[in-house]
Amino acid sequence: GRTLALIELELELKAGADQQLVQWARRVADRVPLFVNLISKAEQGYYLAGLYKPQIPPANDDPVHRLLSGLSAVWLTGDQSLLPADALSGVTAEADARSVGTLLTWLKTGLGRGESLSELCGELAMGQLQTRLVGPRAV
């Protein structure tokens, strides 16, 4: 009896360099709000059926993957405690290196004020931050 709205744009690389796919995602993120979700449609269905709970990668995992996984888990469940406290701080150096430190600060501030992730996902800044944390640094 539980539902979840599915509004999705799936970008799939059939051939070529994966940097091209990231560039397309960045172009979309600059024009419309988007959220990079690491949870598959199947996992979403299993969660709604009570058969799945998202797992957060351990602290020694890639910091960007850990953050994106945590954000995806919060998006699915609405439980902000699934985002480890160190997930945001763990990507600070990478965000600064990619010139998106202000976007990371925006996310930290919004979550710190108690804004829900679904509210923040309605802003261009979310997708811009996520798509710039992955792939090549040069934009």
Side-chain angles (χ1 to χ4, degrees), residues 26-136:
R26 288 176 179 171
R27 288 179 186 155
V28 173
D30 286 340
R31 289 168 177 79
V32 296
L34 68 82
F35 179 72
V36 176
N37 190 356
L38 301 185
I39 297 178
S40 72
K41 290 184 292 271
E43 289 169 313
Q44 292 173 40
Y46 291 136
Y47 172 77
L48 292 172
L51 303 172
Y52 170 78
K53 182 175 180 179
Q55 301 297 311
I56 307 305
N60 63 350
D61 194 40
D62 172 66
V64 171
H65 182 253
R66 186 169 157 79
L67 173 63
L68 295 179
S69 295
L71 290 172
S72 295
V74 171
W75 172 86
L76 179 64
T77 66
D79 182 358
Q80 291 204 179
S81 72
L82 291 176
L83 181 64
D86 65 343
L88 289 165
S89 61
V91 297
T92 300
E94 189 64 26
D96 289 342
R98 293 171 179 264
S99 301
V100 292
T102 56
L103 293 174
L104 182 62
T105 300
W106 164 83
L107 178 59
K108 289 178 183 178
T109 301
L111 292 172
R113 282 194 307 251
E115 292 181 56
S116 72
L117 188 62
S118 61
E119 291 173 310
L120 297 171
C121 286
E123 301 292 329
L124 284 175
M126 179 62 79
Q128 291 170 341
L129 171 63
Q130 290 180 298
T131 59
R132 280 158 180 81
L133 283 175
V134 298

